[in-house]
Amino acid sequence: DQQVKQNSPSLSVQEGRISILNCDYTNSMFDYFLWYKKYPAEGPTFLISISSIKDKNEDGRFTVFLNKSAKHLSLHIVPSQPGDSAVYFCAAKNNTNAGKSTFGDGTTLTVKP
Amino acid sequence: DAGVTQSPTHLIKTRGQQVTLRCSPKSGHDTVSWYQQALGQGPQFIFQYYEEEERQRGNFPDRFSGHQFPNYSSELNVNALLLGDSALYLCASSLRDRGAKNIQYFGAGTRLSVL
């Protein structure tokens, strides 16, 4: 039973346009959500996070939206740049098991020049 | 400032053998978590160590064990290797006292192939 799902294995966008990556979760105990970016031959790198008490968090070109009722979150990248091409992982955790992150299977983003 | 380092980068073993993977956390971090990432999937939590003890564990059999040393570095041991243990093993370090807000910093991983 996969508790965090990223239903789009891949996404391709044009440079300068918006990239929207989606993530769904099933466990209502999750109260903290994170996005990681992974380049080949490197480990995942933290990108942005959001607490369940918020519905939006913004950091530069990156914005994460959380819809708790739908158990859905999304990552918006505006404007997209070729250097953003990577695998993006959505992850979730709860405060009682803070050391354990549950990851989705990732979405490969390709930004074309 | 050294990030999370893992060794070795690649490893080839045969079924039934035992393997030890090593991790040095980011400077100042006291907590180490291990993840297994199979091809095409996201990382799966194996266990977490702080204060030299296993604190949380995912759904992995007892063949997977670990250790944390006084300098916070950690080892992951896998006994009686199976073909299905072939994966990228990721180590992540963090600061325990931040709770759910602790950000995990990942190493580049060890690629284990079991033949």
Side-chain angles (χ1 to χ4, degrees), chain A residues 67-82:
Chain A
N67 183 334
K68 282 182 61 179
S69 61
K71 293 190 176 68
H72 177 84
L73 62 155
S74 61
L75 174 67
H76 293 210
I77 307 174
V78 183
S80 301
Q81 300 174 354

Side-chain angles (χ1 to χ4, degrees), chain A residues 18-61:
Chain A
I18 185 172
S19 295
I20 300 176
L21 296 92
N22 294 303
C23 178
D24 297 296
Y25 62 97
T26 57
N27 189 340
S28 56
M29 296 299 292
F30 289 143
D31 54 17
Y32 204 72
F33 304 89
L34 310 96
W35 285 93
Y36 287 85
K37 178 170 70 173
K38 187 180 187 301
Y39 293 119
E42 295 182 10
T45 303
F46 169 74
L47 194 57
I48 192 169
S49 62
I50 188 167
S51 166
S52 60
I53 62 173
K54 296 185 176 181
D55 56 17
K56 177 182 175 181
N57 188 28
E58 189 173 355
D59 183 3
R61 297 186 297 113

Side-chain angles (χ1 to χ4, degrees), chain A residues 31-32 34 36 38 41-44 46 49 89 93-101 103-105, chain B residues 33 35 37 40-43 45 48 56-58 88 90 99-108:
Chain A
D31 54 17
Y32 204 72
L34 310 96
Y36 287 85
K38 187 180 187 301
E42 295 182 10
F46 169 74
S49 62
F89 291 101
K93 58 169 72 176
N94 69 63
N95 210 34
T96 57
N97 289 300
K100 173 184 177 181
S101 292
F103 284 80
D105 286 341
Chain B
S33 300
Y35 291 83
Q37 185 180 9
Q41 297 182 16
F45 177 78
Q48 183 191 59
Q56 296 181 55
R57 190 177 183 93
L88 179 68
L90 294 164
K101 293 183 180 180
N102 66 5
I103 302 304
Q104 293 180 312
Y105 291 78
F106 284 83

Side-chain angles (χ1 to χ4, degrees), chain A residues 6-11 22 106-108:
Chain A
Q6 295 177 254
N7 292 318
S8 298
S10 62
L11 175 67
N22 294 303
T107 297
T108 300

Side-chain angles (χ1 to χ4, degrees), chain B residues 9-107:
Chain B
T9 54
H10 294 85
L11 205 51
I12 299 175
K13 292 286 187 177
T14 56
R15 280 184 303 172
Q17 285 189 313
Q18 178 265 343
V19 68
T20 297
L21 311 182
R22 294 176 176 82
C23 172
S24 292
K26 179 178 169 63
S27 178
H29 284 183
D30 58 4
T31 300
V32 173
S33 300
W34 287 92
Y35 291 83
Q36 179 195 67
Q37 185 180 9
L39 199 61
Q41 297 182 16
Q44 287 201 355
F45 177 78
I46 303 175
F47 43 52
Q48 183 191 59
Y49 278 82
Y50 61 83
E51 295 181 350
E52 301 180 46
E53 290 190 19
E54 181 184 300
R55 301 294 180 171
Q56 296 181 55
R57 190 177 183 93
N59 295 326
F60 280 81
D62 292 344
R63 298 186 298 109
F64 290 77
S65 64
H67 190 78
Q68 186 179 36
F69 299 93
N71 66 353
Y72 307 120
S73 67
S74 176
E75 289 182 349
L76 164 65
N77 302 293
V78 187
N79 295 322
L81 283 168
L82 304 174
L83 296 179
D85 295 332
S86 296
L88 179 68
Y89 288 85
L90 294 164
C91 170
S93 74
S94 58
L95 277 169
R96 174 178 172 250
D97 63 356
R98 297 205 67 211
K101 293 183 180 180
N102 66 5
I103 302 304
Q104 293 180 312
Y105 291 78
F106 284 83

